[in-house]
Amino acid sequence: MKLVFAGTPDVAVPTLRELIDSSDHDVVGVITRPDTTSGRGRKAVRSEVGVVADAHGIEVLTPRRMSDPEVVETLERWAPDLGVVVAYGGLIPEPVLDLLPHGWINLHFSILPAWRGAAPVQAAIAAGDEITGASVFALEAGLDTGPVYGTLTAPVRSTDTAGDLLARLADSGSGLTRAVVDGIEAGELSPVPQDRDGVSHAAKITVDDARVRWDLPAHIVDRTVRAHTPSPGAWTRLGDLRLKLGPVSPADDDPNVPGPLEPGRLAVTKKAVFVGTGSGPVRLSTVQAPGKKAMNAADWARGTRLDENGRLA
């Protein structure tokens, strides 16, 4: 089957590779977000998906919007049978959805109808879900509302960051997507409408969402940090300094915690840094000060002039 692939970041790459490596299908074109600029020279930086497409000699289209006339013109020239979308980063309008004979399918990183929206993995960790998964569904005008072709499940480990979990789902979801494409070509699959019950939404994350609130219980602080790691990165303030934090671990039973700690209050030992929360303390793993690399929390504390009233906020 002739396919067009739309995706942008690294989590979309496993599925693109899976389809390129398939001897049964032909990826005739790739649509990805426009190049960004980075570094002192403001050099153009290709998306991860664009880099893979270039390496395989696949034509790449980088429209600012999927409603741009060049999108329709290019799709008519490529003449794909089916579109596959993974983390493209933009909405596909109805005229484009209706253009392909088999429509478009989307790999979404949740068990739909749970966590429709831009940040399903982050939402699952923040909510304390023990099971999550991935779904391949038929795109329609509504946000992640289309009927589902197939689903897989995966455990959420107690130490998972959003980056860890998303990487696992991206790998396993690539095989699911390939199987769905095979099934559509064979005429063996019919998508099933989503349940009306159990709908939840996962809005796009902002930097403000990633600020740690130390007055919340330790297990919520733990989830908040893991849900925002590595991007945009959990953060807090020490005086005027904004610090980026690595994952924390609840330390209720740690005998090295020097007494009760108020929310945000720091306690430093030779080998560890603890912070009080709304319940018990947590132990910091890494701290990254502005303009510096992330470092072990105890090493950071030794190099920082912390007074006895040191407190994160």
Side-chain angles (χ1 to χ4, degrees):
M1 191 147 58
K2 293 172 66 177
L3 306 174
V4 59
F5 184 87
T8 300
D10 54 357
V11 296
V13 168
T15 300
L16 175 58
R17 290 191 185 281
E18 181 80 22
L19 298 173
I20 291 174
D21 292 342
S22 168
S23 59
D24 298 325
H25 309 294
D26 182 18
V27 180
V28 296
V30 162
I31 303 175
T32 189
R33 300 293 293 171
D35 296 353
T36 57
T37 56
S38 180
R40 292 183 178 179
R42 309 305 295 168
K43 294 182 179 178
V45 178
R46 196 71 141 170
S47 75
E48 287 87 346
V49 162
V51 169
V52 173
D54 290 341
H56 287 79
I58 299 172
E59 186 176 346
V60 176
L61 183 67
T62 58
R64 296 210 170 273
R65 292 174 294 274
M66 287 293 274
S67 57
D68 290 349
E70 65 175 323
V71 174
V72 172
E73 295 169 4
T74 305
L75 287 173
E76 289 176 343
R77 176 166 56 82
W78 286 344
D81 301 300
L82 174 71
V84 179
V85 182
V86 184
Y88 168 66
L91 295 176
I92 300 179
E94 277 191 275
V96 177
L97 290 176
D98 296 338
L99 200 61
L100 309 190
H102 290 287
W104 297 71
I105 59 172
N106 186 181
L107 172 63
H108 184 77
F109 299 113
S110 79
I111 304 172
L112 291 171
W115 303 130
R116 293 172 177 169
V121 169
Q122 293 86 342
I125 292 175
D129 291 356
E130 295 181 349
I131 298 292
T132 187
S135 306
V136 176
F137 68 98
L139 274 176
E140 59 181 27
L143 180 62
D144 301 334
T145 57
V148 175
Y149 281 104
T151 299
L152 61 82
T153 61
V156 181
R157 300 168 184 165
S158 61
T159 57
D160 271 339
T161 64
D164 297 333
L165 183 53
L166 196 51
R168 292 206 308 275
L169 292 175
D171 284 338
S172 55
S174 66
L176 172 65
T177 306
R178 160 76 182 279
V180 169
V181 173
D182 291 346
I184 291 173
E185 182 180 38
E188 298 172 346
L189 285 181
S190 296
V192 178
Q194 295 182 32
D195 287 341
R196 294 187 176 182
D197 297 330
V199 175
S200 52
H201 297 90
K204 185 177 181 180
I205 288 175
T206 68
V207 172
D208 287 343
D209 294 331
R211 184 171 186 170
V212 177
R213 284 185 53 190
W214 299 106
D215 60 323
L216 297 177
H219 71 282
I220 300 297
V221 171
D222 166 40
R223 292 177 193 170
T224 300
V225 174
R226 288 189 290 111
H228 298 93
T229 300
S231 178
W235 62 280
T236 187
R237 286 196 179 279
L238 176 64
D240 294 333
L241 282 180
R242 175 169 157 164
L243 303 173
K244 189 174 179 178
L245 302 179
V248 303
S249 52
D252 285 321
D253 300 327
D254 193 322
N256 297 308
V257 179
L261 294 174
E262 298 173 1
R265 181 61 54 85
L266 286 162
V268 180
T269 69
K270 288 185 178 179
K271 296 183 178 179
V273 179
F274 301 96
V275 190
T277 73
S279 57
V282 296
R283 178 173 176 160
L284 301 184
S285 60
T286 61
V287 176
Q288 184 175 6
K292 303 288 183 61
K293 293 183 178 180
M295 59 192 304
N296 176 278
D299 294 338
W300 164 78
R302 276 192 291 273
T304 303
R305 292 182 178 179
L306 294 174
D307 62 34
E308 61 181 9
N309 295 316
R311 187 167 184 163
L312 302 179

